[in-house]
Amino acid sequence: MTDTNEQLFLRVVEAGSLKSAAEQIGADPSAVSRKIAALEGRLGVKLLQRSTKRSSPTEAGERYYQGMRRLVDAQAELEADVSGLVDTPSGLLRVAAPVDFGARFVAPVLSDLQEEYPNLTVELLLGSTFSDLIEQGIDVAIRIGRLPDSSLIARRLGSVPRVLVASCDHLREHGVPKEPHDLSARPFIFYRPGQSAETIALSKDGKTISVKVSGNITANSVTAIRELVCSGRGFHLGPRWAFEEEIENGKVASVLDDFELPAHPLHALYVAGEFVPAKVRAIIEKMAARVRESRSLS
């Protein structure tokens, strides 16, 4: 058994149980358990909650896991640098992205990346609650929209064009808006929780018109919003990629197309440092290429 106690702990957390970790290295589970117990004794804290089928980290164990994972990956990158393999992604790559966008655009990129580099393990975390990349052990976060000031490095990948949409049935029943101010009397479906009103800016011939719209439905899921729009519950200002299929098959129509809507910027965020791991550079470059190739993004 060549793994250190610390490396064994990482294996147990990632495998989900002492038995699975032991099978990976051809060891007896009791031997692995003794190694973990020795590590806990040295640190003076319980790292794992053990059961017959599963071992999960305690709160202290989770913090220790995230820190050790970063150290092990950094060591692997350093050794790769020294041995001339700095451009070969390896280790664990953890990427955070918004749920729907991540499933549509990021997951295929990670799949291709892992296939190209078999020594790379990828993990995609979907959601918008990942704010502290260091504490949460995230290598790269994909973000849509304006970025708050932070110490993170932001690489611009492109932008996410938006459209104003409503179901064709709704438009046939209630009419098609002719001017931006017509929108103020129409029901809207919003994305941000607690939102019941929003000001929309539309531009044409160098002039910008701001219109306040309102609604009583909010859903923090692009998929759910698409279903609500298709069922005729109201208008939505959202990403063009989410409605392209419905626009093509005639379920949904875009409105006021002669006006310009501001697109959302798309960034990849990562922690600043003198040494940028190959896996971080690789996912960012592949995401940028995917954005350039996509007709839904710009």
Side-chain angles (χ1 to χ4, degrees), residues 12-290:
V12 172
V13 173
E14 291 167 4
S17 70
L18 291 167
K19 181 180 178 181
S20 296
E23 289 175 350
Q24 290 179 5
I25 59 174
D28 187 87
S30 61
V32 174
S33 181
R34 287 194 297 272
K35 294 280 188 178
I36 299 301
L39 177 61
E40 291 176 324
R42 179 170 66 82
L43 296 174
V45 65
K46 187 176 180 63
L47 297 174
L48 291 174
Q49 296 287 357
R50 299 169 174 82
S51 69
T52 55
K53 293 185 178 181
R54 183 164 183 81
S55 297
S56 57
T58 61
E59 182 177 353
E62 180 63 27
R63 290 188 62 185
Y64 188 69
Y65 167 78
Q66 298 294 352
M68 282 304 304
R69 183 75 267 172
R70 290 194 298 272
L71 290 174
V72 169
D73 288 346
Q75 180 183 2
E77 292 288 351
L78 177 59
E79 292 176 355
D81 185 19
V82 172
S83 63
L85 299 176
V86 67
D87 292 326
T88 304
S90 61
L92 175 64
L93 172 63
R94 303 183 84 225
V95 179
V99 176
D100 300 278
F101 184 90
R104 170 75 176 271
F105 295 101
V106 183
V109 171
L110 287 176
S111 177
D112 291 346
L113 192 64
Q114 198 283 322
E115 185 174 2
E116 183 176 352
Y117 302 103
N119 291 329
L120 183 68
T121 299
V122 300
E123 183 177 342
L124 177 59
L125 308 171
L126 298 176
S128 302
T129 59
F130 306 103
S131 56
D132 192 325
L133 271 61
I134 295 177
E135 183 177 334
Q136 294 167 305
I138 296 169
D139 296 295
V140 178
I142 306 299
R143 289 289 177 262
I144 300 171
R146 296 179 61 184
L147 298 175
D149 292 334
S150 75
S151 60
L152 299 175
I153 301 298
R155 162 75 182 275
R156 178 72 178 255
L157 299 176
S159 59
V160 181
R162 297 189 295 165
V163 290
L164 271 167
V165 292
S167 74
C168 293
D169 289 342
H170 182 95
L171 294 173
R172 279 191 290 267
E173 182 177 353
H174 300 284
V176 178
K178 304 298 183 183
E179 298 291 338
H181 291 295
D182 295 341
L183 297 172
S184 61
R186 302 301 182 92
F188 267 72
I189 302 165
F190 297 112
Y191 179 83
R192 289 191 295 274
Q195 190 176 17
S196 60
E198 179 183 19
T199 298
I200 295 177
L202 305 95
S203 300
K204 184 178 181 181
D205 300 329
K207 297 180 179 179
T208 299
I209 301 174
S210 296
V211 181
K212 187 173 183 179
V213 298
S214 60
N216 55 13
I217 299 179
T218 302
N220 64 342
S221 161
V222 173
T223 300
I225 289 175
R226 182 169 56 234
E227 294 302 314
L228 289 164
V229 169
C230 288
S231 65
R233 297 305 306 271
F235 287 71
H236 180 67
L237 171 57
R240 184 174 65 199
W241 63 262
F243 297 94
E244 283 183 334
E245 182 177 342
E246 286 69 23
I247 291 174
E248 290 177 1
N249 63 30
K251 290 184 179 179
V252 167
S254 59
V255 300
L256 299 175
D257 291 335
D258 52 339
F259 286 85
E260 182 180 348
L261 295 162
H264 280 321
L266 176 65
H267 290 91
L269 305 179
Y270 61 96
V271 178
E274 293 184 9
F275 181 75
V276 180
K279 60 185 180 181
V280 171
R281 298 198 307 272
I283 179 60
I284 291 175
E285 292 304 323
K286 283 192 175 291
M287 275 300 306
R290 184 60 58 94

